[in-house]
Amino acid sequence: MAIISSNISDDDFSLRKKELRLVDSKITPEEKRKNNLNLARPVSLQEFIGQEQLMSSLRIAIDASIYRKEPLEHILLYGQPGLGKTTLAFLIANELNTKCRIATAPAIERPRDIVGLLLGLKEGEVLFIDEIHRLNRLTEELLYSAMEDFRLDLTMGANRGARCRTINLPKFTLIGATTKLASISAPLRDRFGISHKFEFYTIDELKQIIVNFSVLINLHLDENASYDLAKISRGTPRIALRLLRRVRDYAQVVKDTNVISMNLIKKALNSYQIDQKGLDSLDRQYLSFLNKNNNSPTGLDSIAAGLGDDSAMLEFVVEPYLIQIGFITRTPRGRLLTASGKKYIDAKNGNF
Ligand code: ADP
């Protein structure tokens, strides 16, 4: 039976796809909108794949808090985007049989925003604050007593008429997530009882995530296909699932099938200009630029100017994976292409 009747060619398909960097681990606005309906999210800690060390210490902490009927300690999760910090916050709330309220630090601008959030919590609930390193100082200071003593110390009025008022809060668990641990002030960091780094996932773990999700969306992937997709997912579940969705689009629209082979994955990714290393055109432009500099260290700002891109974006989005696969190194004098990076980009003839 036809899934979607079509006679669309590979070329038409590439033209239709949106201008989006598929291998960027940051969440897109569309993904954010769909986040609450996220089918891919595991529903119990047992279903959460990988991050084993974190999982076992969390299991003990959660069981102990249930046993003692006390709130779970505040938790700080840090690591690259797309590794599962938000997912884990939902899971923790599920395990505690409570609700998880979500906020992002840039949206908590005024002190009254955080006061409103805290006063809206019920006993035992989880408050998840994403990008917690971006809280402003006043908001952060209000959090100190809230985290430590479940109490809000507010100053009402100004100057001589100023009065202090203390409001008791329900006991809650704050889960903070950040990609930049170093930007969190020491007083805030010290108030988290548990602090844990999210590691990149292994290929086998990503493969399992891909297989589980393909069952949910009714795709049939063969063993090699799921391995191939996992291999180029940059150690990041968000990228793995996004690539899988795009492969599904291609398979259904261009090839009219739900069965995904290695060959089909290759063609689909080719139409998005992603190669077998999982690199896209921006990665290749970056490597070509370094290659042109005859192996002398190149400063990030020069690369950004040469590519017409933002240096922070290159530093936090493009470079980590190129470093991870050993194609570039960062030195005090600038970025260097490694021998394997050079071999790769020479083989591509610098044609991108
Ligand atoms: P972060 O908050 O770190 O940016 P998310 O929690 O939003 O990452 O995860 C991104 C996507 O990857 C979500 O769709 C989520 O369901 C999926 N995901 C992340 N980690 C796992 C995991 N360990 N097992 C299964 N799916 C995962």
Side-chain angles (χ1 to χ4, degrees), residues 198-250:
F198 266 67
E199 304 289 350
F200 284 113
Y201 289 70
T202 64
I203 296 179
D204 282 337
E205 289 164 351
L206 287 173
K207 188 177 148 198
Q208 194 55 51
I209 292 172
I210 290 170
V211 168
N212 292 354
F213 188 53
S214 56
V215 171
L216 277 177
I217 60 173
N218 195 25
L219 269 190
H220 305 283
L221 255 81
D222 70 35
E223 183 75 15
N224 295 331
S226 42
Y227 184 83
D228 267 18
L229 209 52
K231 216 168 60 182
I232 60 166
S233 298
R234 301 180 176 224
T236 307
R238 176 173 294 135
I239 296 179
L241 298 181
R242 189 188 291 147
L243 288 176
L244 183 63
R245 286 193 190 93
R246 295 295 77 81
V247 167
R248 174 182 61 169
D249 291 350
Y250 178 89

Short mmCIF file of all heavy atoms in Angstrom, two decimals, residues 198-250:
data_model
loop_
_atom_site.label_atom_id
_atom_site.label_comp_id
_atom_site.label_asym_id
_atom_site.label_seq_id
_atom_site.Cartn_x
_atom_site.Cartn_y
_atom_site.Cartn_z
N PHE A 198 26.55 15.08 32.06
CA PHE A 198 26.07 14.17 31.02
C PHE A 198 27.19 13.91 30.02
O PHE A 198 27.77 14.85 29.50
CB PHE A 198 24.88 14.80 30.28
CG PHE A 198 23.56 14.39 30.83
CD1 PHE A 198 23.18 14.81 32.10
CD2 PHE A 198 22.70 13.59 30.11
CE1 PHE A 198 21.97 14.43 32.63
CE2 PHE A 198 21.49 13.20 30.63
CZ PHE A 198 21.11 13.63 31.89
N GLU A 199 27.46 12.64 29.77
CA GLU A 199 28.50 12.28 28.81
C GLU A 199 27.86 12.06 27.44
O GLU A 199 26.66 11.78 27.35
CB GLU A 199 29.20 10.98 29.23
CG GLU A 199 29.78 11.00 30.63
CD GLU A 199 31.01 11.89 30.75
OE1 GLU A 199 31.52 12.34 29.71
OE2 GLU A 199 31.43 12.17 31.90
N PHE A 200 28.70 12.13 26.38
CA PHE A 200 28.20 11.72 25.06
C PHE A 200 27.88 10.23 25.10
O PHE A 200 28.48 9.48 25.88
CB PHE A 200 29.26 12.00 23.98
CG PHE A 200 29.36 13.45 23.64
CD1 PHE A 200 30.50 14.18 23.94
CD2 PHE A 200 28.31 14.09 23.00
CE1 PHE A 200 30.59 15.52 23.62
CE2 PHE A 200 28.38 15.44 22.68
CZ PHE A 200 29.53 16.16 22.99
N TYR A 201 26.95 9.81 24.26
CA TYR A 201 26.50 8.41 24.25
C TYR A 201 27.39 7.56 23.35
O TYR A 201 27.96 8.06 22.37
CB TYR A 201 25.05 8.33 23.75
CG TYR A 201 24.05 8.88 24.75
CD1 TYR A 201 24.00 10.25 25.02
CD2 TYR A 201 23.18 8.05 25.44
CE1 TYR A 201 23.11 10.77 25.94
CE2 TYR A 201 22.28 8.56 26.36
CZ TYR A 201 22.25 9.92 26.62
OH TYR A 201 21.36 10.43 27.53
N THR A 202 27.49 6.26 23.67
CA THR A 202 28.25 5.36 22.79
C THR A 202 27.38 5.01 21.59
O THR A 202 26.15 5.22 21.60
CB THR A 202 28.59 4.05 23.52
OG1 THR A 202 27.36 3.38 23.81
CG2 THR A 202 29.35 4.29 24.82
N ILE A 203 28.02 4.45 20.58
CA ILE A 203 27.26 4.09 19.37
C ILE A 203 26.18 3.05 19.72
O ILE A 203 25.04 3.14 19.25
CB ILE A 203 28.21 3.57 18.27
CG1 ILE A 203 29.14 4.70 17.86
CG2 ILE A 203 27.43 3.03 17.08
CD1 ILE A 203 30.14 4.34 16.79
N ASP A 204 26.53 2.09 20.58
CA ASP A 204 25.54 1.06 20.94
C ASP A 204 24.34 1.67 21.66
O ASP A 204 23.20 1.26 21.44
CB ASP A 204 26.18 -0.02 21.82
CG ASP A 204 26.99 -0.97 20.96
OD1 ASP A 204 26.71 -1.06 19.75
OD2 ASP A 204 27.93 -1.60 21.49
N GLU A 205 24.60 2.64 22.54
CA GLU A 205 23.48 3.27 23.26
C GLU A 205 22.59 4.03 22.29
O GLU A 205 21.37 3.95 22.35
CB GLU A 205 24.02 4.22 24.34
CG GLU A 205 24.65 3.49 25.52
CD GLU A 205 25.52 4.37 26.40
OE1 GLU A 205 25.81 5.54 26.03
OE2 GLU A 205 25.96 3.89 27.46
N LEU A 206 23.24 4.77 21.37
CA LEU A 206 22.44 5.53 20.39
C LEU A 206 21.64 4.59 19.50
O LEU A 206 20.50 4.87 19.15
CB LEU A 206 23.35 6.41 19.53
CG LEU A 206 23.92 7.64 20.24
CD1 LEU A 206 24.93 8.34 19.36
CD2 LEU A 206 22.80 8.62 20.62
N LYS A 207 22.27 3.48 19.17
CA LYS A 207 21.58 2.50 18.31
C LYS A 207 20.31 2.02 19.01
O LYS A 207 19.25 1.93 18.40
CB LYS A 207 22.54 1.33 18.04
CG LYS A 207 22.01 0.39 17.03
CD LYS A 207 23.01 -0.70 16.74
CE LYS A 207 22.22 -1.94 16.41
NZ LYS A 207 22.97 -3.15 16.51
N GLN A 208 20.43 1.76 20.31
CA GLN A 208 19.26 1.31 21.07
C GLN A 208 18.16 2.38 21.08
O GLN A 208 16.98 2.08 20.92
CB GLN A 208 19.71 0.98 22.50
CG GLN A 208 18.71 0.20 23.32
CD GLN A 208 18.28 -1.09 22.62
OE1 GLN A 208 19.12 -1.86 22.20
NE2 GLN A 208 16.97 -1.28 22.45
N ILE A 209 18.57 3.64 21.25
CA ILE A 209 17.59 4.74 21.25
C ILE A 209 16.91 4.81 19.89
O ILE A 209 15.69 4.99 19.78
CB ILE A 209 18.30 6.07 21.61
CG1 ILE A 209 18.76 6.04 23.07
CG2 ILE A 209 17.39 7.28 21.38
CD1 ILE A 209 19.64 7.21 23.50
N ILE A 210 17.68 4.65 18.83
CA ILE A 210 17.14 4.70 17.46
C ILE A 210 16.17 3.54 17.24
O ILE A 210 15.06 3.73 16.72
CB ILE A 210 18.30 4.66 16.42
CG1 ILE A 210 19.07 5.98 16.47
CG2 ILE A 210 17.78 4.36 15.02
CD1 ILE A 210 20.36 5.99 15.68
N VAL A 211 16.56 2.34 17.68
CA VAL A 211 15.70 1.17 17.49
C VAL A 211 14.39 1.38 18.25
O VAL A 211 13.30 1.17 17.70
CB VAL A 211 16.43 -0.11 17.96
CG1 VAL A 211 15.47 -1.29 18.05
CG2 VAL A 211 17.59 -0.44 17.03
N ASN A 212 14.48 1.83 19.50
CA ASN A 212 13.25 2.04 20.29
C ASN A 212 12.33 3.05 19.63
O ASN A 212 11.12 2.86 19.55
CB ASN A 212 13.58 2.55 21.70
CG ASN A 212 14.29 1.51 22.52
OD1 ASN A 212 14.43 0.37 22.09
ND2 ASN A 212 14.77 1.89 23.70
N PHE A 213 12.91 4.14 19.12
CA PHE A 213 12.07 5.18 18.52
C PHE A 213 11.48 4.70 17.20
O PHE A 213 10.33 5.01 16.88
CB PHE A 213 12.90 6.47 18.31
CG PHE A 213 12.05 7.64 17.87
CD1 PHE A 213 10.92 8.01 18.59
CD2 PHE A 213 12.37 8.37 16.74
CE1 PHE A 213 10.14 9.09 18.19
CE2 PHE A 213 11.60 9.45 16.32
CZ PHE A 213 10.47 9.81 17.06
N SER A 214 12.25 3.91 16.44
CA SER A 214 11.72 3.46 15.14
C SER A 214 10.53 2.53 15.35
O SER A 214 9.59 2.54 14.56
CB SER A 214 12.81 2.84 14.26
OG SER A 214 13.42 1.81 14.95
N VAL A 215 10.53 1.78 16.46
CA VAL A 215 9.37 0.93 16.74
C VAL A 215 8.15 1.83 17.00
O VAL A 215 7.06 1.61 16.48
CB VAL A 215 9.64 0.03 17.98
CG1 VAL A 215 8.39 -0.69 18.42
CG2 VAL A 215 10.76 -0.96 17.66
N LEU A 216 8.38 2.91 17.76
CA LEU A 216 7.28 3.82 18.09
C LEU A 216 6.68 4.48 16.85
O LEU A 216 5.47 4.72 16.78
CB LEU A 216 7.79 4.96 19.01
CG LEU A 216 7.88 4.67 20.48
CD1 LEU A 216 8.48 5.87 21.21
CD2 LEU A 216 6.48 4.41 21.04
N ILE A 217 7.52 4.79 15.87
CA ILE A 217 6.99 5.49 14.69
C ILE A 217 6.80 4.54 13.51
O ILE A 217 6.69 4.97 12.36
CB ILE A 217 7.87 6.71 14.30
CG1 ILE A 217 9.30 6.27 13.95
CG2 ILE A 217 7.86 7.77 15.37
CD1 ILE A 217 10.15 7.41 13.40
N ASN A 218 6.81 3.24 13.81
CA ASN A 218 6.48 2.24 12.81
C ASN A 218 7.42 2.23 11.60
O ASN A 218 7.00 2.15 10.46
CB ASN A 218 5.02 2.48 12.36
CG ASN A 218 4.48 1.29 11.61
OD1 ASN A 218 4.98 0.18 11.81
ND2 ASN A 218 3.53 1.52 10.73
N LEU A 219 8.70 2.31 11.89
CA LEU A 219 9.71 2.21 10.83
C LEU A 219 10.44 0.89 11.00
O LEU A 219 10.67 0.45 12.12
CB LEU A 219 10.74 3.32 10.98
CG LEU A 219 10.56 4.64 10.28
CD1 LEU A 219 11.83 5.46 10.41
CD2 LEU A 219 10.19 4.47 8.82
N HIS A 220 10.82 0.29 9.89
CA HIS A 220 11.58 -0.96 9.99
C HIS A 220 13.01 -0.71 9.58
O HIS A 220 13.30 -0.51 8.40
CB HIS A 220 10.94 -2.04 9.11
CG HIS A 220 9.50 -2.22 9.42
ND1 HIS A 220 9.07 -2.93 10.52
CD2 HIS A 220 8.39 -1.72 8.83
CE1 HIS A 220 7.76 -2.87 10.58
NE2 HIS A 220 7.31 -2.14 9.56
N LEU A 221 13.89 -0.72 10.58
CA LEU A 221 15.31 -0.47 10.29
C LEU A 221 16.08 -1.77 10.39
O LEU A 221 15.87 -2.50 11.37
CB LEU A 221 15.89 0.46 11.36
CG LEU A 221 16.13 1.90 10.97
CD1 LEU A 221 14.83 2.62 11.07
CD2 LEU A 221 17.13 2.52 11.92
N ASP A 222 16.96 -2.05 9.43
CA ASP A 222 17.75 -3.25 9.66
C ASP A 222 18.92 -2.91 10.58
O ASP A 222 19.21 -1.74 10.85
CB ASP A 222 18.14 -3.95 8.34
CG ASP A 222 19.17 -3.18 7.54
OD1 ASP A 222 20.03 -2.55 8.18
OD2 ASP A 222 19.11 -3.21 6.30
N GLU A 223 19.55 -3.97 11.09
CA GLU A 223 20.62 -3.87 12.09
C GLU A 223 21.71 -2.87 11.65
O GLU A 223 22.09 -1.97 12.38
CB GLU A 223 21.18 -5.30 12.22
CG GLU A 223 22.25 -5.51 13.24
CD GLU A 223 21.72 -5.54 14.66
OE1 GLU A 223 20.50 -5.68 14.85
OE2 GLU A 223 22.55 -5.37 15.57
N ASN A 224 22.17 -3.03 10.39
CA ASN A 224 23.26 -2.17 9.91
C ASN A 224 22.81 -0.72 9.76
O ASN A 224 23.58 0.20 9.99
CB ASN A 224 23.77 -2.67 8.55
CG ASN A 224 24.39 -4.03 8.69
OD1 ASN A 224 24.92 -4.34 9.76
ND2 ASN A 224 24.30 -4.83 7.66
N ALA A 225 21.53 -0.54 9.37
CA ALA A 225 21.03 0.81 9.16
C ALA A 225 21.03 1.57 10.50
O ALA A 225 21.46 2.73 10.57
CB ALA A 225 19.63 0.78 8.57
N SER A 226 20.56 0.91 11.57
CA SER A 226 20.51 1.63 12.84
C SER A 226 21.93 1.90 13.35
O SER A 226 22.19 2.96 13.92
CB SER A 226 19.68 0.88 13.89
OG SER A 226 19.96 -0.48 13.86
N TYR A 227 22.84 0.98 13.07
CA TYR A 227 24.23 1.20 13.50
C TYR A 227 24.82 2.39 12.74
O TYR A 227 25.46 3.27 13.33
CB TYR A 227 25.06 -0.07 13.25
CG TYR A 227 26.47 0.06 13.76
CD1 TYR A 227 26.77 -0.19 15.09
CD2 TYR A 227 27.51 0.46 12.91
CE1 TYR A 227 28.06 -0.05 15.59
CE2 TYR A 227 28.81 0.61 13.39
CZ TYR A 227 29.07 0.35 14.73
OH TYR A 227 30.34 0.50 15.20
N ASP A 228 24.57 2.42 11.43
CA ASP A 228 25.12 3.51 10.61
C ASP A 228 24.61 4.88 11.06
O ASP A 228 25.36 5.85 11.10
CB ASP A 228 24.70 3.31 9.15
CG ASP A 228 25.75 2.54 8.40
OD1 ASP A 228 26.58 1.91 9.08
OD2 ASP A 228 25.73 2.58 7.16
N LEU A 229 23.33 4.92 11.38
CA LEU A 229 22.75 6.19 11.82
C LEU A 229 23.33 6.61 13.18
O LEU A 229 23.65 7.78 13.40
CB LEU A 229 21.23 6.03 11.92
CG LEU A 229 20.40 7.27 11.68
CD1 LEU A 229 20.76 7.94 10.38
CD2 LEU A 229 18.92 6.91 11.67
N ALA A 230 23.49 5.61 14.06
CA ALA A 230 24.04 5.89 15.39
C ALA A 230 25.46 6.45 15.27
O ALA A 230 25.84 7.39 15.98
CB ALA A 230 24.04 4.63 16.24
N LYS A 231 26.19 5.89 14.31
CA LYS A 231 27.61 6.26 14.15
C LYS A 231 27.80 7.74 13.82
O LYS A 231 28.78 8.35 14.19
CB LYS A 231 28.18 5.40 13.01
CG LYS A 231 29.60 4.97 13.23
CD LYS A 231 30.00 3.91 12.25
CE LYS A 231 29.90 4.40 10.81
NZ LYS A 231 30.24 3.42 9.81
N ILE A 232 26.82 8.32 13.11
CA ILE A 232 27.00 9.71 12.69
C ILE A 232 26.18 10.69 13.53
O ILE A 232 26.03 11.84 13.18
CB ILE A 232 26.63 9.89 11.20
CG1 ILE A 232 25.19 9.51 10.96
CG2 ILE A 232 27.57 9.10 10.31
CD1 ILE A 232 24.70 9.97 9.61
N SER A 233 25.69 10.21 14.67
CA SER A 233 24.79 11.08 15.47
C SER A 233 25.52 11.91 16.51
O SER A 233 24.89 12.48 17.41
CB SER A 233 23.69 10.24 16.14
OG SER A 233 22.92 9.63 15.15
N ARG A 234 26.82 12.00 16.42
CA ARG A 234 27.62 12.88 17.28
C ARG A 234 27.41 12.61 18.76
O ARG A 234 27.40 13.55 19.58
CB ARG A 234 27.33 14.35 16.97
CG ARG A 234 27.61 14.69 15.55
CD ARG A 234 27.33 16.14 15.24
NE ARG A 234 27.74 16.40 13.86
CZ ARG A 234 28.41 17.46 13.46
NH1 ARG A 234 28.73 18.40 14.30
NH2 ARG A 234 28.74 17.61 12.20
N GLY A 235 27.17 11.37 19.10
CA GLY A 235 27.04 11.01 20.52
C GLY A 235 25.81 11.61 21.17
O GLY A 235 25.69 11.62 22.40
N THR A 236 24.84 12.11 20.37
CA THR A 236 23.76 12.93 20.91
C THR A 236 22.37 12.39 20.51
O THR A 236 22.04 12.38 19.32
CB THR A 236 23.90 14.38 20.39
OG1 THR A 236 25.23 14.81 20.67
CG2 THR A 236 22.91 15.33 21.01
N PRO A 237 21.55 11.97 21.47
CA PRO A 237 20.23 11.43 21.12
C PRO A 237 19.39 12.39 20.28
O PRO A 237 18.70 11.97 19.36
CB PRO A 237 19.56 11.18 22.47
CG PRO A 237 20.68 10.99 23.42
CD PRO A 237 21.80 11.85 22.92
N ARG A 238 19.43 13.70 20.59
CA ARG A 238 18.58 14.62 19.82
C ARG A 238 18.94 14.56 18.33
O ARG A 238 18.06 14.58 17.47
CB ARG A 238 18.70 16.06 20.33
CG ARG A 238 17.89 17.03 19.46
CD ARG A 238 17.83 18.44 20.01
NE ARG A 238 17.10 18.49 21.25
CZ ARG A 238 17.51 19.16 22.33
NH1 ARG A 238 18.62 19.84 22.29
NH2 ARG A 238 16.79 19.16 23.42
N ILE A 239 20.23 14.48 18.03
CA ILE A 239 20.64 14.43 16.63
C ILE A 239 20.23 13.08 16.02
O ILE A 239 19.72 13.02 14.90
CB ILE A 239 22.17 14.67 16.49
CG1 ILE A 239 22.49 16.08 16.99
CG2 ILE A 239 22.63 14.48 15.05
CD1 ILE A 239 23.94 16.46 16.93
N ALA A 240 20.40 12.00 16.80
CA ALA A 240 20.02 10.67 16.29
C ALA A 240 18.54 10.65 15.90
O ALA A 240 18.18 10.20 14.81
CB ALA A 240 20.30 9.62 17.35
N LEU A 241 17.70 11.19 16.79
CA LEU A 241 16.26 11.13 16.53
C LEU A 241 15.87 12.07 15.39
O LEU A 241 15.00 11.76 14.59
CB LEU A 241 15.47 11.48 17.80
CG LEU A 241 15.70 10.52 18.98
CD1 LEU A 241 14.87 10.91 20.17
CD2 LEU A 241 15.38 9.09 18.58
N ARG A 242 16.56 13.21 15.31
CA ARG A 242 16.25 14.14 14.23
C ARG A 242 16.64 13.53 12.87
O ARG A 242 15.88 13.59 11.91
CB ARG A 242 16.99 15.46 14.46
CG ARG A 242 16.53 16.53 13.49
CD ARG A 242 17.39 17.76 13.60
NE ARG A 242 17.21 18.47 14.86
CZ ARG A 242 18.21 19.12 15.48
NH1 ARG A 242 19.42 19.13 14.97
NH2 ARG A 242 17.99 19.75 16.61
N LEU A 243 17.82 12.90 12.83
CA LEU A 243 18.25 12.27 11.57
C LEU A 243 17.28 11.15 11.20
O LEU A 243 16.91 11.00 10.02
CB LEU A 243 19.67 11.71 11.70
CG LEU A 243 20.80 12.75 11.77
CD1 LEU A 243 22.15 12.06 11.98
CD2 LEU A 243 20.86 13.61 10.51
N LEU A 244 16.85 10.41 12.21
CA LEU A 244 15.91 9.31 11.93
C LEU A 244 14.61 9.86 11.33
O LEU A 244 14.06 9.30 10.38
CB LEU A 244 15.63 8.53 13.22
CG LEU A 244 14.72 7.31 13.05
CD1 LEU A 244 15.36 6.26 12.15
CD2 LEU A 244 14.40 6.67 14.40
N ARG A 245 14.13 10.98 11.88
CA ARG A 245 12.89 11.56 11.35
C ARG A 245 13.07 12.00 9.90
O ARG A 245 12.20 11.84 9.07
CB ARG A 245 12.46 12.78 12.18
CG ARG A 245 11.88 12.41 13.52
CD ARG A 245 11.19 13.64 14.14
NE ARG A 245 10.85 13.37 15.51
CZ ARG A 245 11.63 13.68 16.55
NH1 ARG A 245 12.78 14.29 16.36
NH2 ARG A 245 11.25 13.38 17.78
N ARG A 246 14.25 12.60 9.61
CA ARG A 246 14.47 13.05 8.23
C ARG A 246 14.62 11.87 7.28
O ARG A 246 14.17 11.91 6.15
CB ARG A 246 15.72 13.95 8.14
CG ARG A 246 15.64 15.27 8.89
CD ARG A 246 14.58 16.23 8.35
NE ARG A 246 13.21 15.91 8.72
CZ ARG A 246 12.66 16.21 9.91
NH1 ARG A 246 13.35 16.84 10.83
NH2 ARG A 246 11.42 15.87 10.16
N VAL A 247 15.25 10.79 7.77
CA VAL A 247 15.37 9.59 6.93
C VAL A 247 13.96 9.04 6.66
O VAL A 247 13.64 8.63 5.55
CB VAL A 247 16.26 8.53 7.62
CG1 VAL A 247 16.15 7.19 6.94
CG2 VAL A 247 17.71 8.99 7.64
N ARG A 248 13.12 9.09 7.69
CA ARG A 248 11.74 8.62 7.50
C ARG A 248 11.02 9.48 6.44
O ARG A 248 10.37 8.97 5.54
CB ARG A 248 10.98 8.70 8.82
CG ARG A 248 9.50 8.36 8.65
CD ARG A 248 8.73 8.48 9.95
NE ARG A 248 8.76 9.83 10.49
CZ ARG A 248 7.99 10.24 11.49
NH1 ARG A 248 7.17 9.38 12.07
NH2 ARG A 248 8.05 11.47 11.94
N ASP A 249 11.18 10.82 6.51
CA ASP A 249 10.55 11.70 5.51
C ASP A 249 10.98 11.27 4.11
O ASP A 249 10.17 11.12 3.21
CB ASP A 249 11.01 13.16 5.69
CG ASP A 249 10.46 13.77 6.96
OD1 ASP A 249 9.60 13.13 7.59
OD2 ASP A 249 10.91 14.88 7.32
N TYR A 250 12.30 11.10 3.96
CA TYR A 250 12.85 10.77 2.65
C TYR A 250 12.30 9.42 2.19
O TYR A 250 11.85 9.27 1.06
CB TYR A 250 14.37 10.73 2.75
CG TYR A 250 15.06 10.35 1.46
CD1 TYR A 250 15.42 11.32 0.53
CD2 TYR A 250 15.34 9.02 1.19
CE1 TYR A 250 16.04 10.97 -0.65
CE2 TYR A 250 15.97 8.66 0.00
CZ TYR A 250 16.33 9.64 -0.91
OH TYR A 250 16.94 9.27 -2.07
#
